[in-house]
Amino acid sequence: MTILVTGSAGFIGSNFVLDWLAGHDESVVSLDKLTYAGNRANLASLDGDARHIFVQGDISDTELIARLLAQYQPRAVLNFAAESHVDRSILGPEDFIQTNVVGTFHLLEAVRAYWSTEGAPRKSEFRFLHVSTDEVYGSLEPDSPAFTENHPYQPNSPYSASKAASDHLVRAYHHTYGLPVLTTNCSNNYGPYHFPEKLIPLVIRNALAGEALPIYGDGQQIRDWLYVKDHCSAIRRVLESGLPGETYNVGGWNEKSNLDVVHHICDTLDQESPRNDGRSYRQQISFVKDRPGHDRRYAIDATRLERELGWKPAETFETGIAKTVRWYLDNQAWVESVASGAYREWLSKQYS
Ligand code: NAD
Ligand code: DAU
């Protein structure tokens, strides 16, 4: 048995593949374009492991996907591949449309062609699992209930609009062709291998480098944080027992304002790796221009996943952040290896 995982060299995809192979003998065919966000080194610990086959390629390349499907005959395809950073989607939306919308379409077409030739029982047991986001639901008012799976789609950024479009395509391939799809809509992740353009790894990196910790606007925007390994365990659970055609919200029940998140990271670093001058990393906080169209609040109601599939996160925000800070302190070489010239160019374009 084999699964095919796209976007496997990115943040969540690489955590998923590493965790999968730590717990299963079922092999993984990994497909990743290796954009700036994809890092082959994230999977280096699997080099020489016969259960892992890495292929550099694009989800839009239907010929390549068809070849991989025919060769490896996976029983499931999990689609993590995407352009994922909201700020980059604001500065340049085109790649987001290309990968998240057109790429998902091409992937679905290749998968549909493969699946439709399968015989029973493989055809009914096959799964296409699409990894999506809570951002498709838009922004919540302070007192509104958290997003359930029935919340209307109201995406506000080019990123979330492109993810919403991909979710609709996935849904349509189930409704029209009967492809056995599953969609997960998850809140903000954090943890090992998180590219330091996103809030939590950026703050850890900048703090240790003695640089400013940029907070957009008033810092009172709320996100619902989930440790990445809990997201991976939710995806495994949905793959195993989710009902085809259904969507499952995944979240950590950890709503925090951005300022509270940054304060918590600073306080953790103050304990784990104090500044030479004895002052708090909080000194480095700097309020900067807000993100255009910035969503004020996200919150996920993950009741369905708990009630129907028995999934709950293992980490609290405090335990997850402690593990994450420790990982970044122990893996500063990884941070430096991804903080290339292109990364520095991005920082100066975004924050100057
Ligand atoms: P990421 O940007 O770290 O990784 C994306 C990976 O996809 C990279 O390895 C990149 O090289 C690869 N990729 C990009 N375009 C590709 C293409 N055309 N073909 C093949 N590979 C391609 O993103 P992430 O944070 O790991 O997110 C993974 C998925 O989870 C995305 O679909 C994202 O929308 C979703 N998601 C992310 C979060 C989060 O907090 N990070 C939360 C909910 C959902
Ligand atoms: O909600 C799920 C989404 O979470 C995923 O779909 C996205 O792929 C993922 O990138 C993430 O999106 P956000 O925009 O919420 O994450 P980001 O880390 O970019 O920002 C988190 C919050 O912190 C957001 O309110 C913007 C703010 N922020 C971010 C950066 C990079 C700052 O205040 N300063 C910053 O420098």
Side-chain angles (χ1 to χ4, degrees):
M1 299 283 262
T2 303
I3 58 169
L4 190 150
V5 176
T6 74
S8 54
F11 163 47
I12 306 174
S14 60
N15 275 286
F16 181 84
V17 171
L18 292 170
D19 289 0
W20 180 272
L21 289 173
H24 292 70
D25 273 334
E26 186 173 3
S27 57
V28 176
V29 179
S30 260
L31 176 79
D32 199 293
K33 188 177 174 181
L34 297 181
T35 67
Y36 79 93
N39 188 351
R40 183 67 186 82
N42 294 2
L43 299 167
S45 61
L46 298 174
D47 287 352
D49 187 329
R51 299 170 306 158
H52 183 241
I53 296 123
F54 182 83
V55 180
Q56 182 172 2
D58 193 319
I59 56 167
S60 295
D61 185 344
T62 36
E63 274 176 33
L64 170 66
I65 309 283
R67 205 162 359 103
L68 293 176
L69 293 171
Q71 184 176 353
Y72 295 106
Q73 302 276 308
R75 58 137 180 141
V77 173
L78 287 82
N79 184 30
F80 294 80
E83 288 293 336
S84 70
H85 190 31
V86 173
D87 292 320
R88 287 187 191 253
S89 84
I90 294 168
L91 283 184
E94 190 160 352
D95 287 348
F96 290 73
I97 304 305
Q98 210 48 51
T99 284
N100 300 1
V101 187
V102 181
T104 303
F105 161 69
H106 284 305
L107 181 64
L108 280 165
E109 275 295 90
V111 169
R112 179 167 76 90
Y114 162 72
W115 166 79
S116 58
T117 60
E118 291 278 271
R122 279 182 65 91
K123 192 168 184 182
S124 60
E125 287 169 1
F126 181 82
R127 295 288 182 269
F128 180 90
L129 191 151
H130 180 61
V131 180
S132 192
T133 169
D134 60 357
E135 299 204 11
V136 297
Y137 298 126
S139 185
L140 286 169
E141 295 299 321
D143 303 329
S144 302
F147 300 128
T148 66
E149 289 80 0
N150 297 322
H151 197 92
Y153 271 38
Q154 289 174 328
N156 290 319
S157 71
Y159 163 68
S160 53
S162 68
K163 290 295 291 185
S166 67
D167 292 9
H168 291 321
L169 282 168
V170 170
R171 179 190 149 84
Y173 271 62
H174 176 71
H175 190 79
T176 306
Y177 305 113
L179 187 69
V181 306
L182 298 157
T183 299
T184 53
N185 292 90
C186 188
S187 61
N188 285 62
N189 285 213
Y190 64 97
Y193 303 111
H194 205 182
F195 193 77
E197 64 185 353
K198 308 280 172 69
L199 180 70
I200 288 181
L202 179 83
V203 163
I204 299 172
R205 178 200 170 270
N206 284 14
L208 295 172
E211 295 172 18
L213 313 181
I215 306 237
Y216 297 161
D218 62 4
Q220 293 308 316
Q221 302 81 9
I222 290 173
R223 297 291 181 266
D224 181 353
W225 294 95
L226 181 69
Y227 189 61
V228 64
K229 290 184 182 299
D230 280 327
H231 187 188
C232 296
S233 74
I235 291 172
R236 292 196 299 273
R237 196 78 201 89
V238 172
L239 178 65
E240 200 177 298
S241 305
L243 293 176
E246 295 297 327
T247 70
Y248 296 89
N249 281 355
V250 188
W253 306 102
N254 280 314
E255 282 189 63
K256 306 267 176 219
S257 74
N258 293 338
L259 195 54
D260 283 346
V261 167
V262 175
H263 281 159
H264 188 75
I265 295 169
C266 290
D267 298 349
T268 308
L269 282 170
D270 288 342
Q271 295 293 321
E272 296 293 321
S273 180
R275 279 174 32 145
N276 289 336
D277 63 4
R279 299 172 78 196
S280 169
Y281 287 99
R282 289 188 185 209
Q283 305 290 324
Q284 290 167 231
I285 288 174
S286 161
F287 288 87
V288 301
K289 172 166 75 68
D290 207 352
R291 171 185 281 176
H294 198 169
D295 284 337
R296 200 72 188 159
R297 174 177 168 237
Y298 305 139
I300 276 283
D301 181 339
T303 306
R304 176 176 197 194
L305 194 48
E306 182 175 345
R307 194 184 55 231
E308 295 182 14
L309 303 187
W311 175 87
K312 271 206 268 194
E315 302 294 341
T316 63
F317 183 71
E318 288 69 24
T319 60
I321 286 291
K323 287 184 176 179
T324 303
V325 166
R326 176 52 36 213
W327 189 88
Y328 280 87
L329 287 170
D330 292 344
N331 290 277
Q332 292 189 49
W334 179 89
V335 178
E336 285 325 304
S337 73
V338 300
S340 64
Y343 171 75
R344 285 168 213 283
E345 266 170 48
W346 161 254
L347 290 188
S348 73
K349 198 152 71 170
Q350 174 65 7
Y351 296 99
S352 62

